């Protein structure tokens, strides 16, 4: 339960400091929340800021369900292939990299994390979308998620 409160706090901070930014395809700010199942089960969230029509950067946090109280904090960059592939709404396809530190609650050891990922989103409307992301690297990012567009 402590991990859930930590994730909610981090997500709230992302929203509070967002200011007036815009994200992919002028839909406003985007909060993405992912759940990953299996041996490396976790929940993660990132908050996207658009820096170019095809590029976003975002702070992110991940909490594992392993019971070890591990928390990863970092940042990610994504390139959206929508214009390149001439994709129409409601689809988004991207690829990117994320990096950060895994902070373990057990031994106070910080580990560097580096991952590559690719994903797609289907938007049901201007607010909600369903995300599938795959990836690999130090913390094996990815999972099924929800995009919330502001």
């Amino acid at each position: 339960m402590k991990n859930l409160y930590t994730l909610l706090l981090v997500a709230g901070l992302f929203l509070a400091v967002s200011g007036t930014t815009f994200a992919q395809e002028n839909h406003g700010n985007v909060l993405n929340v992912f759940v990953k199942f299996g041996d490396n089960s976790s929940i993660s969230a990132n908050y996207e800021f658009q820096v170019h029509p095809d590029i976003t950067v975002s702070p992110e946090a991940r909490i594992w369900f392993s019971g070890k109280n591990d928390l990863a904090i970092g940042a990610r960059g994504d390139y959206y292939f929508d214009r390149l592939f001439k994709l129409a709404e409601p689809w988004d396809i991207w690829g990117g990299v994320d990096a950060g530190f895994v902070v373990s609650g057990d031994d106070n050891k910080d580990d560097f994390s580096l991952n590559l990922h690719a994903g797609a989103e289907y938007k049901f409307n201007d607010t909600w979308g369903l995300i599938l992301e795959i990836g690999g690297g130090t913390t094996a990012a990815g999972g099924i998620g929800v995009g919330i567009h502001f």
Side-chain angles (χ1 to χ4, degrees), residues 22-65:
F22 56 98
Q24 61 205 10
E25 299 178 6
N26 298 319
H27 282 294
N29 302 324
V30 181
L31 173 65
N32 298 307
V33 180
F34 297 95
V35 176
K36 182 173 176 14
F37 300 100
D39 293 339
N40 200 15
S41 298
S42 64
I43 187 168
S44 65
N46 65 64
Y47 194 77
E48 291 187 290
F49 301 94
Q50 187 175 19
V51 295
H52 177 273
D54 300 324
I55 299 172
T56 62
V57 295
S58 23
E60 71 175 339
R62 178 180 299 270
I63 298 171
W64 283 268
F65 300 134

Side-chain angles (χ1 to χ4, degrees), residues 10-132:
V10 170
L13 289 173
F14 290 166
L15 291 172
V17 300
S18 65
T20 56
T21 62
F22 56 98
Q24 61 205 10
E25 299 178 6
N26 298 319
H27 282 294
N29 302 324
V30 181
L31 173 65
N32 298 307
V33 180
F34 297 95
V35 176
K36 182 173 176 14
F37 300 100
D39 293 339
N40 200 15
S41 298
S42 64
I43 187 168
S44 65
N46 65 64
Y47 194 77
E48 291 187 290
F49 301 94
Q50 187 175 19
V51 295
H52 177 273
D54 300 324
I55 299 172
T56 62
V57 295
S58 23
E60 71 175 339
R62 178 180 299 270
I63 298 171
W64 283 268
F65 300 134
S66 63
K68 296 190 302 186
N69 295 325
D70 286 345
L71 168 69
I73 52 173
R76 65 187 272 153
D78 292 308
Y79 179 83
Y80 283 82
F81 295 98
D82 299 358
R83 290 192 314 158
L84 183 66
F85 295 153
K86 296 182 170 81
L87 289 177
E89 287 288 337
W91 291 99
D92 279 332
I93 295 178
W94 65 88
V97 63
D98 58 271
F101 290 94
V102 178
V103 181
S104 175
D106 295 336
D107 56 10
N108 294 324
K109 179 181 169 189
D110 293 343
D111 293 321
F112 183 72
S113 166
L114 182 62
N115 302 287
L116 294 175
H117 56 263
E121 178 182 18
Y122 179 82
K123 296 183 194 95
F124 296 109
N125 55 39
D126 287 342
T127 304
W128 296 96
L130 179 64
I131 299 171
L132 177 61

